[in-house]
Amino acid sequence: MLNYICVTCGNQYGGTEEPPLHCLICEDERQYVNPTGQTWTTLDGLRREHHNVLKSLEPGLTEIVTEPKFAIGQRALLVQGPKGNVLWDCVSLIDDTTVEAIEALGGISALAMSHPHMFGSMVEWSHAFGKAPIHLHSDYRQWIQRPDPVIEFWEGEKHDLNEGVTLHRCGGHFKGSTVLLWPEGAAGRGVLLSTDTLYVAPDRRHVSFMYSYPNYIPLAGSTVDSIVDKVMPLEFDRIYGHFRHLEIEADAKSAIQRSAARYKEAIGFRR
Ligand SMILES: [Zn+2]
Ligand SMILES: [Zn+2]
């Protein structure tokens, strides 16, 4: 039995003798199947050709990126808190070098995922760090490809972790789309980890809000308003997106308001 990993979205599946016929995440309109067709690899296959690179982004925050690029190419973010470290989102590759580097930073006591495009090999990562719990919004039950007792579902709009960060369900890109608030980040001004819920644009002065990024399907204006209404009361000044260098370093709330106004103007929406 092998845990196959989808080459396009990077999700690791439950153990099977043969590769699965379909990837549910890639067949959804928020992803896509490669022109060459559905293809799979395994962790051993990945380890032969890829490695992870860790980089400190600010005190208490480290990004983990797989090189050469694999699947979506996202970064996972390790938030170090006084009561433990949280891995926010995930990548597909985990190897001994990565585990050692993260152990040196204090390990991982919990994992939390924003949405299924970022699940990677999350169960494998949890097992490598003492079966740390994976916090997932209950809206994601149907998207779990490798079920495991380490997955803990939370309900409602907000979930506090012991490590000192809070998960907020904002919806939009997925019904359960989650962001992470790290109050101690940015020297105490607060950091929002936003992934695809509020996608940091390459100009690093705006965010976007899409139902499907690869297939360019926008969200309704009322949904954009609802996402903005959920994050504006939170205390933060900086946003990190889920790709390298996609960060709004300061005054992120102004950037969100500016971006939402521009977006709604573009789709002809009036509140
Ligand atoms: Zn896939
Ligand atoms: Zn996504």
Side-chain angles (χ1 to χ4, degrees), residues 82-224:
K83 295 182 192 163
N85 298 346
V86 178
L87 186 75
W88 170 245
D89 287 335
C90 203
V91 295
S92 305
L93 174 64
I94 181 160
D95 57 16
D96 291 345
T97 312
T98 309
V99 172
E100 280 165 28
I102 291 179
E103 290 290 6
L105 297 171
I108 293 172
S109 59
L111 298 86
M113 301 295 132
S114 61
H115 72 293
H117 296 149
M118 301 294 126
F119 286 176
S121 299
M122 61 180 177
V123 170
E124 203 79 44
W125 275 76
S126 157
H127 289 186
F129 291 94
K131 300 203 168 182
I134 303 173
H135 299 277
L136 279 190
H137 196 276
S138 59
D139 285 342
Y140 291 136
R141 280 180 199 280
Q142 73 205 82
W143 294 100
I144 307 300
Q145 308 305 333
R146 182 178 171 184
D148 193 278
V150 298
I151 298 173
E152 295 184 6
F153 292 104
W154 59 279
E155 314 259 342
E157 302 302 297
K158 179 175 179 278
H159 185 56
D160 292 317
L161 302 192
N162 296 334
E163 288 79 6
V165 301
T166 308
L167 309 178
H168 294 267
R169 191 191 76 93
C170 294
H173 181 50
F174 276 77
K175 190 170 163 235
S177 277
T178 303
V179 298
L180 183 149
L181 181 70
W182 175 36
E184 289 170 7
R189 299 193 308 279
V191 157
L192 192 75
L193 306 183
S194 66
T195 66
D196 275 351
T197 312
L198 302 95
Y199 186 108
V200 176
D203 70 5
R204 299 171 315 283
R205 300 191 309 115
H206 294 86
V207 294
S208 192
F209 316 83
M210 300 280 272
Y211 178 72
S212 176
Y213 290 92
N215 297 314
Y216 313 108
I217 308 172
L219 286 171
S222 56
T223 309
V224 171

Side-chain angles (χ1 to χ4, degrees), residues 5-11 13 22-27 31-33 38-40:
I5 295 171
C6 172
V7 167
T8 311
C9 73
N11 261 255
Y13 276 62
H22 301 277
C23 174
L24 299 182
I25 289 160
C26 287
E27 290 183 3
Q31 251 297 103
Y32 56 91
V33 177
Q38 178 63 49
T39 40
W40 302 90

